[in-house]
Amino acid sequence: MTAHPPLPTIRPLLDPAPEYAKWQSEEPIRRVKIWGDNSPWLITRHEDARTVLADPRFSADANHPDFPHTRPGAPPQAPGLFHQMDPPDHTRLRRMLIPDFTFRRIEQMEGAIQRICDDLLDAMTPAGTTEADLVASYALPLPTLAICELLGVPYEDHGFFREKSNALTSVAGDPAEAMNARTALYGYLRALLERRAQDPADDLISRLATERVATGEATLDEATGMVSLLLLAGHETTANMFPLAVIALLHNPAQLDALRADASLWPGAVEELLRHLTVIHSGIRRIATADVELSGVRIRAGEGVVVALQSANRDPAQYTGPDDLDVHRDASGHLAFGHGLHQCLGQSLARAELRLGLATLFRRLPMLHLTAPPDSLDLSTSTVHGVRSLPVAWR
């Protein structure tokens, strides 16, 4: 049996694992070992990644017996988790949520997001205070407060959500612990949906309960799964992306100076940071449902595929000087939010949180700096790359 190299699970703070550049140059579609005897195909080039993510012959159905899960013993796919479903169920469930995530709806939330940023920074910088953990004080509560407001979930329960999120997304965790975490989270959200069905408010959970579950368009289990997905994805990715973006900008002072001199650069800078950092580092998983010829490689039906977004976003065939952070770059076409039918539903919300959160932070704390060497920071062990804490100070 051919020995395949393992899929990297550890990476440098601000860059992809070094193996990706080598593989992208020498063997851009190759087998890698993820666990046991499971050796899916790894996709490392931008063009190939877009092709796979847009091709319906590569299924997102996580209930397929040979699906390349991030760890062995993954629990059965729960109802409502449409990101790991194919049409028509994916289409039916996702369509129910689109009105709450349109660009216009998120634009209407920007005032609330700005208030969250200002309130968090007020709390972080009382008179006489000159240092804090940026993750605990700002990067984590910002997206958590925003998604809780949109969904209608009480923020005071955010510690419970964070604990369950860590158990569900850890690549090194106990499968039984993950299953217990999912059971606890689903029980909480199911009860919340039932309460809102009787006493609705102006929030997404109430609309799901009264307009979708009550009418029979979705089951209560499906609605519970959808809310769980939105809650976890809505804070996990941005909470990890934010401190890395801060580190990257502090590490590239000329880029930060350009943003301070011209605030109109922030929207494009967010796209560049998303491309450059690409925090979804365990890849997007698919399984072939038919034989597919991809750039001269035959991927057979039943074989798993891992799309390495962080590698695709550093592809020199797509971006000049891909390892450089350049806030003037046109980073459009990056795959940080995926591509195709399953492209991230909450991307407009994430962009608004990053743009407003970063601009506000660096405007209000122009002397912000790290108080620990970057190589001493504790990296997360989840499917989303990030740091557990980020000690900072200001004058």
Side-chain angles (χ1 to χ4, degrees), residues 11 15-17 19-25 28 42-53 272 274-278 280-281 283-284 306-323 329 331-339:
R11 59 185 276 188
D15 296 299
E19 293 92 332
Y20 286 115
K22 181 176 186 295
W23 293 340
Q24 188 182 76
S25 172
L42 181 70
I43 310 298
T44 58
R45 293 192 307 196
H46 189 277
E47 182 180 357
D48 293 333
R50 279 177 57 93
T51 298
V52 169
L53 296 176
E272 170 66 352
L274 287 162
R275 179 204 69 83
H276 185 74
L277 297 169
T278 313
I280 304 295
H281 78 118
I284 294 183
V306 176
V307 180
L309 300 181
Q310 71 273 47
S311 176
N313 280 340
R314 296 285 189 102
D315 188 346
Q318 182 69 20
Y319 299 104
T320 302
D323 293 329
R329 183 198 305 273
S332 59
H334 70 74
L335 302 177
F337 292 117
H339 179 65

Side-chain angles (χ1 to χ4, degrees), residues 239-260:
N240 282 283
M241 172 70 193
F242 198 98
L244 293 182
V246 170
I247 297 168
L249 288 171
L250 291 174
H251 187 67
N252 291 272
Q255 303 298 308
L256 183 54
D257 287 345
L259 291 167
R260 285 175 167 143

Side-chain angles (χ1 to χ4, degrees), residues 8-291:
T9 57
I10 299 174
R11 59 185 276 188
L13 183 63
L14 299 178
D15 296 299
E19 293 92 332
Y20 286 115
K22 181 176 186 295
W23 293 340
Q24 188 182 76
S25 172
E26 297 177 356
E27 194 176 358
I29 302 176
R30 63 161 306 138
R31 295 271 200 179
V32 290
K33 182 178 179 179
I34 53 175
W35 42 262
D37 294 328
N38 200 316
S39 298
W41 293 98
L42 181 70
I43 310 298
T44 58
R45 293 192 307 196
H46 189 277
E47 182 180 357
D48 293 333
R50 279 177 57 93
T51 298
V52 169
L53 296 176
D55 191 330
R57 294 175 295 177
F58 291 101
S59 170
D61 182 6
N63 281 331
H64 191 288
D66 296 317
F67 192 84
H69 292 282
T70 55
R71 60 185 176 191
Q77 182 71 357
L81 301 186
F82 56 89
H83 71 304
Q84 291 188 317
M85 296 179 180
D86 296 326
D89 284 335
H90 169 269
T91 308
R92 174 177 63 87
L93 297 175
R94 183 181 172 112
R95 186 178 292 144
M96 297 179 192
L97 302 171
I98 288 175
D100 284 280
F101 286 93
T102 62
F103 178 80
R104 180 180 177 84
R105 173 71 179 94
I106 301 306
E107 195 174 41
Q108 292 170 346
M109 281 188 65
E110 288 200 3
I113 296 170
Q114 184 63 61
R115 285 193 297 276
I116 291 170
C117 294
D118 289 329
D119 289 347
L120 289 173
L121 285 175
D122 287 346
M124 191 177 90
T125 59
T129 301
T130 59
E131 58 184 32
D133 174 7
L134 195 66
V135 171
S137 300
Y138 194 64
L140 177 57
L142 167 55
T144 306
L145 278 164
I147 195 64
C148 284
E149 177 163 322
L150 188 148
L151 294 176
V153 172
Y155 176 71
E156 55 266 26
D157 295 328
H158 71 279
F160 168 82
F161 303 135
R162 185 64 177 170
E163 176 189 346
K164 304 312 172 190
S165 172
N166 286 341
L168 284 166
T169 59
S170 173
V171 296
D174 179 5
E177 183 182 348
M179 193 65 186
N180 290 337
R182 189 175 83 174
T183 299
L185 180 61
Y186 276 46
Y188 173 91
L189 294 175
R190 184 185 181 96
L192 186 56
L193 279 156
E194 290 174 328
R195 290 201 303 273
R196 293 294 166 76
Q198 302 300 318
D199 184 20
D202 182 17
D203 55 49
L204 187 151
I205 288 179
S206 296
R207 284 188 283 277
L208 272 181
T210 59
E211 299 174 12
R212 306 300 184 180
V213 177
T215 61
E217 292 183 60
T219 67
L220 182 57
D221 285 343
E222 286 175 331
T224 301
M226 285 191 281
V227 174
S228 170
L229 173 60
L230 296 175
L231 182 63
L232 297 182
H235 83 273
E236 186 75 18
T237 49
T238 307
N240 282 283
M241 172 70 193
F242 198 98
L244 293 182
V246 170
I247 297 168
L249 288 171
L250 291 174
H251 187 67
N252 291 272
Q255 303 298 308
L256 183 54
D257 287 345
L259 291 167
R260 285 175 167 143
D262 183 0
S264 70
L265 293 175
W266 272 112
V270 166
E271 300 305 315
E272 170 66 352
L273 286 162
L274 287 162
R275 179 204 69 83
H276 185 74
L277 297 169
T278 313
V279 296
I280 304 295
H281 78 118
S282 61
I284 294 183
R285 311 298 174 101
R286 295 288 186 264
I287 188 158
T289 58
D291 289 1

